[in-house]
Amino acid sequence: MTRRTCPASLDTLKISVPPAVKLAAAIRARPALDPDIIAAEIFEDLQAALAQFAEIANDLRR
């Protein structure tokens, strides 16, 4: 069986958790969080992940 190695960029793919979500988990409480701020942070993280996936796709095409 041949083992395929992943491009280095797959090893470094990271999805972050918005700070507000980390804070809520850390204090195990349901603080009054602004949904617009949480949504904006998630959107930024998803944009960063999309850029990483695009880079991986480019690496795979080489």
Side-chain angles (χ1 to χ4, degrees), residues 2-30:
T2 304
R3 184 175 181 178
R4 293 183 63 191
T5 58
C6 295
S9 56
L10 280 179
D11 295 331
T12 58
L13 179 66
K14 294 180 181 157
I15 307 286
S16 65
V17 176
V21 174
K22 288 181 187 177
L23 175 64
I27 61 175
R28 297 186 193 276
R30 299 184 76 189

Side-chain angles (χ1 to χ4, degrees), residues 1 3 7 12-13 16 18 26 33-34 37-38 50 54 58-59 62:
M1 181 161 103
R3 184 175 181 178
T12 58
L13 179 66
S16 65
L33 301 173
D34 185 352
I37 292 173
I38 294 172
L50 183 60
N58 287 334
D59 289 346
R62 292 183 195 165

